[in-house]
Amino acid sequence: MRSIRRGMTGSGLRMVILGGAVGFLSVAVGVTGCALFQSEQVKKGKHLYEHYCMHCHGEHGRQNEGYNWAQMPDPRPKDLSNKGEMSTFKDEEIFNTISRDMKDTTPNVGDKIGDDEFAVPTMPTFKYTLSEDEIWAIVGYVRTLHGTKLAFNVEDRKKELDDKLKEVQGVFDQAKQALAAADKTAEDEADKAGKDVDDNATAKERDAMDKATKELEIAQAAATNFIKRPEFAPIPRPDLAMSADEAAKQAERGKQLFSNKYGCNACHRVGEAGGMVGPPLDRAGFRLNGTWVFRWVKYPQAMKSETRMPNLGLSDADAKAVTMYLTTLKAPPPEKPLGTVQKASAE
Ligand code: HEC
Ligand code: HEC
């Protein structure tokens, strides 16, 4: 837990490369043996659950089983081993609970939240941390906690993404050829007439090409994210210089986001309240540097790939506000060290 090094840059980062990768899905995941596939998936899901979920939900999904359960603010995780209740959720609903965008639940000023939307800030999202395949494996494991099985067909989902990718690749290839042909015609005509090439003559083909390129990128990203964890470009240094007034405003908003949107308090203690999956943050203003905090909350996996802190998908603006809030946290040193060894000379 204490092994994070400050001031590390995003070295070792790999970026998502959108190359012509048609068909790689079927090669990489050509699994057919259904029963074997299922048990392998459940094993993988168990392993991930133990790393990312167990501290809050408990080894068997029961209440007050995980060490963080009693520390968390309300609502506490309910019983994932309760078959009666859990069976009422579809596999897709459980998937969407684990893989979603966080919502600001602050009354009046927060996000609009639909009645059927899951928006508990203290249940983190894993959309920006794990691959789609891994999240389905976790759903499969969660099903075993209440004695049922995943009904959703993960292999069909893979195929659907692969087929979509092939389809948009075909559209892209055609658009590319059409544009090349239109360019050539326009050039020939301009040559004949001794004029400059008329850009309008190929506008339609260029629009179609732009559209096809975007769709191809989306399909490639979806197919890639199915088998690979999300990867992002290195987080640039933020500009945190601002007036005292602005800093106070940002800190105020950051405090709201901390509990009401990203549920940081589910894992981090500030003062008397909050979870203990991560270190207490009430002295973050002394201990941590703003630039480092910004880059950590935007992309923890860039610094520590297996950290239990998920990437919660913070926008730059939200990360800045949260960072400004943390820089204001300057509690006096604890009487007794809390969990971790504190340097006596820390202040
Ligand atoms: C920081 C603590 C925490 C972690 C970590 C966490 N959860 Fe949760 N989870 C909650 C809370 C709080 C809720 C909301 C209360 C409830 O409905 O159980 C919740 C709700 C859920 C629900 C929904 C039940 C419903 O009402 O729809 C499922 C399923 C779930 N979590 C699964 C997981 C899985 C799987 C992981 C790991 C990938 C995970 N959780 C990680 C705290 C956590
Ligand atoms: C599911 C639990 C969880 C959630 C939610 C979470 N964190 Fe963390 N956080 C951790 C863990 C675990 C660590 C320790 C990192 C490690 O060594 O893996 C950590 C480390 C940190 C650190 C470095 C602390 C230090 O003393 O070195 C900061 C800062 C931090 N988190 C801020 C946040 C903020 C801000 C949020 C909300 C946007 C947040 N965390 C949400 C689990 C969580």
Side-chain angles (χ1 to χ4, degrees), residues 13-323:
L13 265 186
R14 289 158 298 155
M15 273 176 275
V16 176
I17 295 161
L18 298 166
V22 174
F24 73 97
L25 258 187
S26 44
V27 177
V29 288
V31 189
T32 44
C34 210
L36 181 67
F37 174 70
Q38 284 240 344
S39 75
E40 283 297 311
Q41 283 288 96
V42 167
K43 226 162 71 191
K44 185 161 108 183
K46 177 174 196 281
H47 185 72
L48 290 162
Y49 179 92
E50 284 169 356
H51 190 67
Y52 291 108
C53 322
M54 200 162 85
H55 26 277
C56 293
H57 285 283
E59 187 181 352
H60 307 95
R62 294 193 200 115
Q63 295 195 296
N64 208 3
E65 202 184 19
Y67 70 82
N68 197 49
W69 195 90
Q71 315 296 326
M72 288 184 52
D74 281 334
R76 306 254 168 83
K78 65 177 144 206
D79 189 353
L80 299 183
S81 73
N82 181 332
K83 187 171 176 180
E85 183 170 21
M86 289 307 294
S87 310
T88 64
F89 297 118
K90 289 208 217 72
D91 293 329
E92 289 91 330
E93 287 172 318
I94 296 180
F95 181 95
N96 290 336
T97 297
I98 305 171
S99 180
R100 69 190 204 280
D101 284 308
M102 303 302 286
K103 291 273 162 70
D104 185 352
T105 61
T106 312
N108 305 321
V109 297
D111 291 319
K112 261 224 181 79
I113 297 163
D115 285 345
D116 54 350
E117 261 184 288
F118 180 90
V120 181
T122 47
M123 163 66 198
T125 182
F126 291 86
K127 176 177 177 177
Y128 301 97
T129 306
L130 302 175
S131 70
E132 187 178 333
D133 180 54
E134 285 178 317
I135 295 175
W136 280 119
I138 293 173
V139 178
Y141 182 66
V142 166
R143 283 308 191 200
T144 68
L145 295 176
H146 44 272
T148 66
K149 258 189 177 164
L150 187 75
F152 184 86
N153 192 326
V154 180
E155 288 165 82
D156 277 358
R157 167 71 179 154
K158 278 173 192 151
K159 191 168 174 312
E160 181 195 318
L161 290 170
D162 197 15
D163 288 348
K164 176 78 186 165
L165 182 53
K166 278 189 192 131
E167 179 200 316
V168 295
Q169 178 79 55
V171 174
F172 174 85
D173 290 344
Q174 273 179 5
K176 198 171 159 185
Q177 276 176 18
L179 179 58
D183 273 341
K184 183 152 188 327
T185 310
E187 271 167 38
D188 289 350
E189 274 169 13
D191 272 354
K192 258 190 243 155
K195 288 202 221 139
D196 285 343
V197 176
D198 177 10
D199 277 346
N200 288 328
T202 56
K204 206 179 85 200
E205 285 79 5
R206 266 184 286 119
D207 281 354
M209 179 70 182
D210 285 349
K211 196 168 153 245
T213 306
K214 271 189 207 118
E215 279 180 10
L216 181 59
E217 281 173 2
I218 291 168
Q220 280 172 337
T224 304
N225 183 234
F226 192 94
I227 51 176
K228 285 181 71 196
R229 293 184 179 186
E231 288 168 11
F232 306 93
I235 306 301
R237 295 180 145 265
D239 180 6
L240 298 174
M242 60 186 85
S243 67
D245 265 9
E246 181 60 19
K249 253 197 347 224
Q250 292 276 336
E252 177 74 30
R253 202 175 96 80
K255 183 178 182 177
Q256 237 167 47
L257 297 172
F258 188 87
S259 326
N260 299 353
K261 183 168 183 185
Y262 296 106
C264 315
N265 56 335
C267 292
H268 293 284
R269 180 168 286 265
V270 174
E272 297 292 297
M276 40 191 280
V277 182
L281 293 177
D282 46 10
R283 289 174 50 78
F286 291 124
R287 296 190 301 109
L288 307 168
N289 148 297
T291 297
W292 183 88
V293 169
F294 179 92
R295 297 174 86 183
W296 169 259
V297 298
K298 283 281 293 179
Y299 194 4
Q301 285 66 31
M303 298 193 205
K304 196 173 175 194
S305 62
E306 293 301 320
T307 180
R308 278 192 301 253
M309 174 160 154
N311 180 338
L312 296 163
L314 277 75
S315 65
D316 283 357
D318 284 2
K320 204 166 175 173
V322 167
T323 299

